[in-house]
Amino acid sequence: MTPAPSAKGTVPFGEYRTWYRVTGDLGSGLPPVVVVHGGPGSTHDYLLSLTRLTEAGHAVVHYDQLGNGGSTHLPGRGPEFWTVDLFLDQLDQLLKALNIADSYILYGQSWGGLLVAKHAAARPAGLRGLVIANAPASYPLWLEEMAVLRAQLPPGVNETLLRHEAAGTTDSEEYYQAMTPFYEKHVCRLKPWPRDYQASFYEVYNDPTVYYAMNGPTEFHVIGSLKDWGVEDCIADIDVPTLIISGRYDEATPKTVQPYQDLIPDARWEIFEESSHLPHLEEPELFQDVMTAYLKRL
């Protein structure tokens, strides 16, 4: 199939700019799928394969959240600037700027899953469907499960990680090397890592402002402003058909995802048996089938 045409640009977000990419036709009559990436502080690159959803007739919108990628970088801003509300406002502004706020579907991955859940809980009139992918319902739950997963790493690895975390030397080469077994088991099981995922990984590495402020130095050592935050208090208010996605080896373990299934009235949970945190890259054909079936159901 010929790839759908895409258009890129930026739109204002206050005094800043939001970079976006539209693949397919926003005027197709079907609600576009707006893709909200993880991090916080990552970029859209690792989710580019979702452009295949245009095969189901839906336009696909990618964008970079403030602070990284093609959007405005603000390396001088302190942790107090980077808030959940800031990123909710950016999403709202993008929907308005692209004239799709009256009909759209959200796909949120990892941190983006919590963000779209929070957005959906306010019951925006134009939201038609919601996909929460590889996302915990709260960071306290996430941290509980990180301790479990870390304890299962090869002998000595977690001890090395803990030693550097206690000493504040998480930027050392030894810490970086000790991170690798966790990432290869629970983030992306493909070897080598796909180019799209590497692109986002290095974007965070090159400007970790947002990631460090809100998350922390790694996926499993969350010491930033999000460490006590979650969406369990509001997701019962979500009133659109919701697809929940996770991987069998996902760092977002079943315990962290379960509240979505329990609390969202119309939710269906799909677990990808051969995937960790990136089923769209690890099991792309099954992922396409699951997403296409969900979109048809809408």
Side-chain angles (χ1 to χ4, degrees):
M1 180 174 282
T2 307
S6 64
K8 304 171 187 175
T10 65
V11 292
F13 172 46
E15 58 194 289
Y16 315 117
R17 306 292 297 185
T18 297
W19 180 94
Y20 71 89
R21 166 183 168 148
V22 176
T23 307
D25 179 13
L26 286 179
S28 70
L30 293 173
V33 179
V34 180
V35 181
V36 183
H37 66 69
S42 187
T43 61
H44 77 284
D45 301 82
Y46 77 99
L47 292 160
L48 266 175
S49 65
L50 269 71
T51 55
R52 279 194 65 194
L53 298 178
T54 57
E55 294 170 19
H58 296 258
V60 177
V61 178
H62 287 85
Y63 76 103
D64 285 333
Q65 292 164 31
L66 193 67
N68 216 333
S71 293
T72 306
H73 288 234
L74 295 161
R77 296 290 186 148
E80 69 288 339
F81 177 79
W82 304 104
T83 64
V84 173
D85 285 343
L86 176 76
F87 292 104
L88 289 169
D89 290 346
Q90 184 187 21
L91 175 57
D92 287 341
Q93 191 56 44
L94 177 72
L95 297 171
K96 290 173 187 163
L98 296 180
N99 294 312
I100 57 174
D102 59 346
S103 182
Y104 61 97
I105 297 161
L106 287 180
Y107 180 100
Q109 201 276 339
S110 198
W111 136 260
L114 290 99
L115 197 65
V116 299
K118 185 73 172 173
H119 173 97
R123 299 190 174 181
L127 184 63
R128 300 287 174 258
L130 182 69
V131 184
I132 298 171
N134 319 100
S138 78
Y139 283 92
L141 269 178
W142 176 267
L143 284 167
E144 274 179 41
E145 290 294 277
M146 288 304 109
V148 174
L149 297 180
R150 288 172 61 145
Q152 297 167 359
L153 291 171
V157 172
N158 197 32
E159 288 72 15
T160 301
L161 295 170
L162 289 167
R163 177 161 46 82
H164 283 287
E165 288 161 5
T169 50
T170 55
D171 56 353
S172 70
E173 181 61 25
E174 188 182 35
Y175 187 81
Y176 184 82
Q177 293 301 326
M179 282 166 45
T180 305
F182 182 96
Y183 278 67
E184 289 180 345
K185 186 175 182 183
H186 297 300
V187 182
C188 185
R189 289 162 58 80
L190 299 174
K191 289 184 180 181
W193 281 350
R195 189 177 63 181
D196 289 352
Y197 177 60
Q198 288 192 47
S200 284
F201 191 84
Y202 285 112
E203 288 272 12
V204 178
Y205 183 81
N206 289 331
D207 188 349
T209 305
V210 185
Y211 190 73
Y212 283 0
M214 297 183 78
N215 189 84
T218 65
E219 295 293 280
F220 48 78
H221 187 47
V222 180
I223 54 174
S225 59
L226 291 176
K227 68 181 186 296
D228 300 316
W229 184 70
V231 293
E232 290 159 293
D233 62 337
C234 66
I235 51 180
D237 295 329
I238 294 173
D239 64 352
V240 294
T242 301
L243 173 64
I244 305 159
I245 288 173
S246 67
R248 179 60 66 195
Y249 304 94
D250 206 328
E251 55 181 347
T253 65
K255 184 176 177 181
T256 71
V257 177
Q258 189 68 46
Y260 293 118
Q261 178 70 64
D262 292 345
L263 296 170
I264 298 173
D266 182 4
R268 188 171 68 80
W269 187 358
E270 188 84 32
I271 297 177
F272 287 74
E273 293 296 337
E274 301 301 323
S275 293
S276 55
H277 200 51
L278 305 170
H280 64 283
L281 296 175
E282 295 167 289
E283 294 180 75
E285 295 309 319
L286 178 59
F287 176 83
Q288 181 74 6
D289 291 346
V290 167
M291 283 297 299
T292 301
Y294 169 72
L295 292 171
K296 282 182 177 169
R297 192 179 131 227
L298 289 181

